[in-house]
Amino acid sequence: MSKGSGGLRKFYPADSLVSPRFTGPYTFARLPHSRDLEGVDTLFIGIPFDGGVVFRPGTRFGPAAVRQASLLLRLYNPYLKVKPFDILNVADFGDISVVPSSIESTYQKISETVGTVIDSGVTPLVCGGDHSISLPVLKEVSRRHGRLALIHIDAHLDMVDQHFSQKYTHGTVFRRAYEEGLIDPSRSVHVGIRGSLFSEDEISETESLGFDVITMDSIEKRGIETVCGEIRRKVGEGATYLSFDIDACDPAYAPGTGTPEVGGLTSREALKLLRGLASLEFVGFDLVEVSPPYDYGEITAVLAANLIYEFISLLALSKK
Ligand code: MN
Ligand code: MN
């Protein structure tokens, strides 16, 4: 039990004025670890799986690094003017026991855990792992909420049909989600797209399916605020899922990732982008592709932890 603004609370960060931040066990934002969902609104779930990557691995160590980098998070978000943990009971589930050698078995494990979470009315806050883990999460969230609006922030579209004749990789995840009817392209948008492409019509093909594609160039030209307005209009009302691939941010701000692309968002722009999405109806989040072996001085993990704090703040605002 810790003391929140409204008195003693079971699900509340440890008081860092009483116990030092570097005293473990390490959980996200020093929240209680719990697998009992009674009274929980939002659950931080680590999915340490990197069997879906096509280039550099290492994201299996993502959740642990993000937890450690989250120890400095404080109670009040002055930008969104909210004390998220006073509104939401948030707990840290720990990690799902993935199967390192099998994406199918891992998907099964993710479905079981996230399915239980969803059926309990708890909002999942997932930390990968590579981007392939988003598919079973989306499937469970959409089972409860119907076809979802997707806000996908990433350097890459992740709309490839196959890699090495495989249907399930971190680069095919939203092609599958689209084919399986989990997301509604008329309410969905890919944001931050840049870098060299497989073909000249990769972006126009995605647009022809109904998605909006907001490239990094377009963000640079029009500014974050204009882009946020466009995203909010496209998504409109209804259940919305946000998937944030850390490689949306420039390698200068997020070097610890598997497929870096130069010319991306600064950490300030990424925070502003999320804060500009307040008022939407979020039903699930993921933050993926943090690969600690490629990180330096926790640059990437610290950014990821702060982005997840913004997710929680957005969710708290929508419940307020
Ligand atoms: Mn990416
Ligand atoms: Mn991705």
Side-chain angles (χ1 to χ4, degrees):
M1 293 268 181
S2 294
K3 203 164 169 12
S5 302
L8 275 183
R9 293 177 66 105
K10 186 177 173 194
F11 297 106
Y12 208 71
D15 189 345
S16 296
L17 298 175
V18 176
S19 71
R21 297 177 186 281
F22 43 84
T23 53
Y26 294 164
T27 57
F28 187 80
R30 309 196 73 204
L31 288 158
H33 166 68
S34 180
R35 295 205 162 176
D36 175 9
L37 301 179
E38 183 69 39
V40 174
D41 300 306
T42 306
L43 193 63
F44 179 93
I45 306 166
I47 308 185
F49 179 75
D50 56 13
V53 300
V54 301
F55 193 46
R56 310 192 301 194
T59 63
R60 64 179 62 183
F61 300 110
V66 170
R67 283 192 185 94
Q68 181 149 355
S70 74
L71 300 176
L72 194 55
L73 292 170
R74 301 183 188 88
L75 298 176
Y76 180 59
N77 183 332
Y79 304 94
L80 290 171
K81 298 190 171 38
V82 66
K83 281 185 97 173
F85 304 114
D86 280 24
I87 294 167
L88 297 172
N89 288 324
V90 190
D92 186 333
F93 173 86
D95 295 339
I96 292 177
S97 291
V98 301
V99 182
S101 57
S102 167
I103 196 164
E104 289 80 9
S105 302
T106 294
Y107 274 10
Q108 188 60 38
K109 300 250 186 191
I110 296 171
S111 298
E112 284 163 14
T113 299
V114 176
T116 307
V117 168
I118 288 289
D119 289 339
S120 309
V122 175
T123 307
L125 193 69
V126 167
C127 181
D130 72 52
H131 222 150
S132 67
I133 60 127
S134 298
L135 185 64
V137 177
L138 275 167
K139 203 175 287 185
E140 293 305 316
V141 176
S142 129
R143 187 169 55 76
R144 183 178 180 101
H145 297 281
R147 277 176 110 199
L148 304 163
L150 171 74
I151 302 173
H152 171 217
I153 305 174
D154 196 326
H156 313 98
L157 291 166
D158 294 350
M159 290 285 289
V160 177
D161 183 37
Q162 299 184 10
H163 282 112
F164 330 118
S165 310
Q166 299 300 307
K167 287 282 206 186
Y168 300 103
T169 76
H170 72 158
T172 65
V173 58
F174 297 114
R175 167 76 57 177
R176 295 291 94 77
Y178 164 75
E179 289 171 350
E180 295 182 22
L182 312 178
I183 52 179
D184 175 0
S186 73
R187 293 180 56 225
S188 297
V189 54
H190 301 275
V191 186
I193 306 305
R194 65 183 186 277
S196 53
L197 299 170
F198 285 99
S199 70
E200 59 198 316
D201 41 17
E202 201 181 328
I203 289 178
S204 59
E205 272 176 11
T206 296
E207 286 172 329
S208 71
L209 300 175
F211 293 93
D212 274 10
V213 177
I214 302 178
T215 62
M216 198 58 227
D217 261 4
S218 156
I219 296 174
E220 194 184 2
K221 275 189 201 104
R222 295 181 303 147
I224 297 283
E225 268 164 48
T226 306
V227 164
C228 285
E230 191 182 315
I231 298 170
R232 288 197 308 267
R233 273 193 301 281
K234 173 82 173 174
V235 166
E237 284 176 14
T240 303
Y241 187 93
L242 197 155
S243 184
F244 198 113
D245 182 329
I246 199 70
D247 71 28
C249 299
D250 193 274
Y253 300 87
T257 196
T259 44
E261 301 287 348
V262 296
L265 297 167
T266 66
S267 46
R268 270 201 300 256
E269 287 167 340
L271 291 165
K272 201 171 168 190
L273 180 60
L274 292 183
R275 289 168 189 156
L277 301 177
S279 80
L280 296 177
E281 225 174 286
F282 290 108
V283 293
F285 295 93
D286 65 55
L287 186 297
V288 295
E289 298 287 352
V290 174
S291 179
Y294 291 98
D295 208 1
Y296 298 90
E298 293 184 286
I299 297 171
T300 316
V302 169
L303 174 56
N306 279 273
L307 294 171
I308 294 172
Y309 180 74
E310 297 298 326
F311 293 170
I312 300 173
S313 301
L314 287 173
L315 203 57
L317 279 181
S318 71
K319 295 254 162 110
K320 211 173 165 182

